[in-house]
Every structure is written in structure tokens, then in C-alpha cells.
Amino acid sequence: MPLRPEEQACLDVLAAQTRAADPSFALGLSNAVACPPLEYRRRAAARLGFAVASAAVVLAIFLLLVGWLGGGLVALFAAGGAGFAAGRCAQRHGAAPAGQRGPHDIPA
């Protein structure tokens, strides 16, 4: 069943927006290569960041309990930085500008 001209126009606009927002995903769709959308790739990076932050908090508590104040404080600052970076990564919506793409934005 062919589409009406206005439906085809809407579909073309949607395809152009998808190509502009996430070219890797659009290329994967056209080549039948599985590539998750940008939002899912960022979610994986955010989970890794939260895991690193949690590990740094555990290390900081251990070092503070052992009595090494300097190492504990450094680990706490590292945990804060990793948590902040992971939170920003999880909150970003839409496509990243070309200069800000990372290795997690490249299709496999």
C-alpha cells in the first residue's frame, strides 16, 4: 500500500532528522548493521562511570580507616569527579557535536 504524499513528506523529514542527529545509527539502519542509538551508547558509558565512582568511594573509605588521610582524600576527590562526569554523561540528550564524540559513539 503506497503512502500518501503528505505521509511520505513526514517520513522524509523524520529520516533527515535521524541522519543529522545520529549518523552512525542511520548508517547502521541502511546497511543492516546493528548499531544502538546514541542514547543507549551513552547509558553504557554512564554506568561505567558510576561503577568507577563507587569503587573510588570504597577505596577512599578503606584508606581513611587504615589511617592514610592523604590517599583517602585523593580517592574521595576522584570519586566525586567520576560521579560528576558520569552524571553529566547520563543527562545529555541528543547528538553530541562532532568535536565531542568519544570512542563509545563509534559503531562496532
Side-chain angles (χ1 to χ4, degrees), residues 38-51 82-94 104:
L38 185 64
E39 292 82 11
Y40 292 119
R41 293 189 304 253
R42 288 186 196 266
R43 186 182 303 160
R47 284 183 185 153
L48 177 64
F50 286 127
F84 179 74
R88 284 184 50 96
C89 184
Q91 291 175 356
R92 287 169 75 178
H93 299 290
H104 57 278

Side-chain angles (χ1 to χ4, degrees), residues 62-98:
F62 174 76
L63 290 176
L64 288 172
L65 288 176
V66 168
W68 192 26
L69 181 63
L73 291 177
V74 167
L76 277 177
F77 282 121
F84 179 74
R88 284 184 50 96
C89 184
Q91 291 175 356
R92 287 169 75 178
H93 299 290

Side-chain angles (χ1 to χ4, degrees), residues 33-36 106-108:
V33 176
C35 177
I106 299 173

